[in-house]
Amino acid sequence: MDKTFNELCYACRVGDKENADRLASTGVNLNALDEFDNSPLFLASLCGHEEVVKLLLERGAVCDRDRYEGARCIYGALTDSIRDILLQYDISKAVDLNQPFVMHLSSLLKESAYQTHDICVTSLGSKQNKRLQLHKFILSTRSPGFPGEINFNGGKHCIEMPSSVSPTVLEIVTKFIYLVPVLHEIDAKDMNRLIDLSSLWGMSELKEFLEQVRHVLDPSEKSTMMAEYQYRITERAREQLCCFVNENILRNAVDAGNESSLQSQDLISMFNSSAFPDLVVVVENSHGLKRFYPCHLAILTRSNYFRIMFDLPLAENFTYKQFKAYQDMPPPTEIPIVSFPPCEFEVAELLLRYLYYDASEIPWQYAMDVLLLADHLLEDRLKSMAAVIITQSKDILEKYSIFQILYLGWETRMERLEHYAAKIVANDIQRYAEDPELKNAIMLSSRRISVRQETDSIEFVDDMRYYLLQKYAFEPDDIELLGEEDDEELLNASGISDYMKDNSTIDALLDELKLQA
């Protein structure tokens, strides 16, 4: 293992915050594992060093509650305060350069099968006349001072930068715009030109970083500064894309009632809007009303569902061939239209926010619908986010029954919801035993086994029995020992009587259903 990483792990174990800070700033992978499969965050959490936990989270350590390592950190936390910090930490805001939002935006700079770019930028003096293939909506969002030619409407356009903008400077700035880690590539000789260009194009974070780092000589201090600014740059990009979605996509959306298409004038207006769309997303809600959103193929390709759609001539009134034809023709060429699965407009907009900038703020009222839509669109990460909201909401059971949540968990293959439902039912088994829906759930669970033997276990029942043990803080061995007792006072005081009563209630339900498990 890397020596620096081992030193970081030791600092996390002993709670040496200053040393952990120094080591983290060297660029060591904070999410790697040591020889015992422990991450630095797990070690700090297990050993109770709250300030080190906070530091690691700020520096980019990821605590994804739906993954094994994240769950270990939370359940292994020494104190409740550390556990609360980890539970409240928003996984989508981790400063991890491998997070999907950053990775996807950076990947748009590379040649792709879809060629979603709509503007080419060249610089005088560039070798082999290299052209940067960019996107108007990203440039207008991330660099508001970019040359006015970006306002061209329709099709693809080319811009040639003046000789004052060298190819090297242009490439660095472009990488910065697309969130490619570039701060470590900046050469001192390009510093002044980069400061001037970042000021001209409205990139305040880059300008501020350059003006500060030019006076720093210590490598460790410089690395720390880079890590801090990379976080700020990522968060600023998220804020900018949030504003773009609000002001250019949602504000320019058009309600068309129950009409199947937009009026030509609405299409032209949408085409000429500041959203610079290259396709339109149409959503039909539960009342049969339709809303059209100006969107971008470059963003929708984050989803496996849409990648498949764009690769095949499906019935959604869109093919990649149509998209290419549209890109190369001026208005009022009809914009390609893509259909979302039927859902409420609010749910569709939550999905768009997630695709554009990894928004994870899902109101509990929509979490069930978001989960269903995310499952349809093959978005496992969004499914996990929605499932977390469902299981942590205090109000969800006022709108939905626990069995609706269970059935949705089965439908979307989210074990988190299955376990959540089993725990809720087990903790109040006497009340739920009176609900006919519990018998139905047990029967459905028994049928989920493809080839069931007479005495096979039933997953939902097994889960309930497991959470009954948790409810009374018992281990299986405790039941065997205490079950042999005949001292009624001891049985009542230990909780074994209540446990056996609840367990018997489950057995009675199984007998009534003629099931052996």
Side-chain angles (χ1 to χ4, degrees), residues 153-155 248 252-256 259-282 291-295 317-318 322 326 329-338:
N153 291 318
N248 297 288
N252 286 315
V254 176
D255 288 318
E259 296 294 328
S260 59
S261 61
L262 283 176
Q263 298 292 324
S264 59
Q265 189 57 45
D266 289 329
L267 270 174
I268 294 172
S269 176
M270 190 174 286
F271 182 96
N272 291 325
S273 73
S274 55
F276 303 112
D278 52 30
L279 57 80
V280 172
V281 166
V282 58
R291 181 174 291 176
F292 293 78
Y293 299 89
C295 293
N317 196 31
F318 177 91
Q322 283 178 282
Y326 157 76
M329 296 177 68
T333 305
E334 184 174 353
I335 301 177
I337 294 179
V338 175

Side-chain angles (χ1 to χ4, degrees), residues 9 15 27 32 67 76 78 134 150 180 192 212 258 285 296 303 305 314 316 327 473 482 493 502:
C9 289
R67 295 187 183 277
L78 184 65
L134 310 178
I150 197 174
V180 178
N192 289 332
Q212 290 197 26
N258 55 11
N285 69 8
H296 305 87
S303 165
Y305 174 89
L314 301 180
E316 278 83 355
Q327 269 202 327
L482 292 171
D502 286 350

